Amino acid sequence: QVQLVESGGGLVQPGGSLRLSCAASLSTFSLYTMGWYRQAPGKQRELVATINTGGNTNYVDSVKGRFTISRDNARKMVYLQMNNLKPEDTAVYYCNAQRVIHYWGQGTQVTVSS
């Protein structure tokens, strides 16, 4: 059974940083495009960032220059470094693995507030 387990969320002040981690139990992890999505209260889930099998990254415009996605294929981990956090970044963040189908983690809460 595929499992994606996120960690690293929490409460941070505006301008602060957090690093999210996702551990994947995928035997062929390196063949998956990995991503982070988020869902704020009352809003639809949105794509935040993806990293494909070649290491190419893609970001939603609102996080460009502030967030960095990375992966470690040997450890089957994907990370999201979030800097200069803003209150509008508050959401539940989900790890995603995509090849033919999508797999999702359970989510980790990120709250940006003073």
Side-chain angles (χ1 to χ4, degrees):
Q1 184 177 355
V2 174
Q3 282 191 314
L4 302 176
V5 180
E6 301 99 335
S7 60
L11 173 64
V12 64
Q13 292 186 342
S17 298
L18 283 175
R19 188 193 194 207
L20 304 184
S21 300
C22 173
S25 65
L26 291 163
S27 60
T28 55
F29 177 83
S30 63
L31 300 182
Y32 283 77
T33 289
M34 301 300 297
W36 289 95
Y37 289 69
R38 66 187 179 187
Q39 187 167 17
K43 295 187 177 181
Q44 290 189 332
R45 189 173 298 189
E46 67 167 352
L47 171 68
V48 176
T50 61
I51 184 166
N52 67 13
T53 57
N56 298 306
T57 58
N58 181 56
Y59 299 92
V60 67
D61 285 347
S62 60
V63 308
K64 285 181 180 177
R66 300 189 297 122
F67 291 11
T68 303
I69 189 172
S70 60
R71 65 190 296 162
D72 184 335
N73 288 338
R75 290 181 170 82
K76 300 183 180 180
M77 298 287 294
V78 62
Y79 306 99
L80 186 67
Q81 178 66 44
M82 305 185 294
N83 299 326
N84 190 22
L85 282 160
K86 303 176 180 181
E88 52 263 41
D89 295 317
T90 295
V92 177
Y93 284 71
Y94 296 91
C95 181
N96 172 269
Q98 178 188 358
R99 192 178 175 189
V100 177
I101 61 175
H102 287 259
Y103 295 104
W104 296 93
Q106 82 287 350
T108 185
Q109 177 70 47
V110 172
T111 302
V112 184
S113 175
S114 55

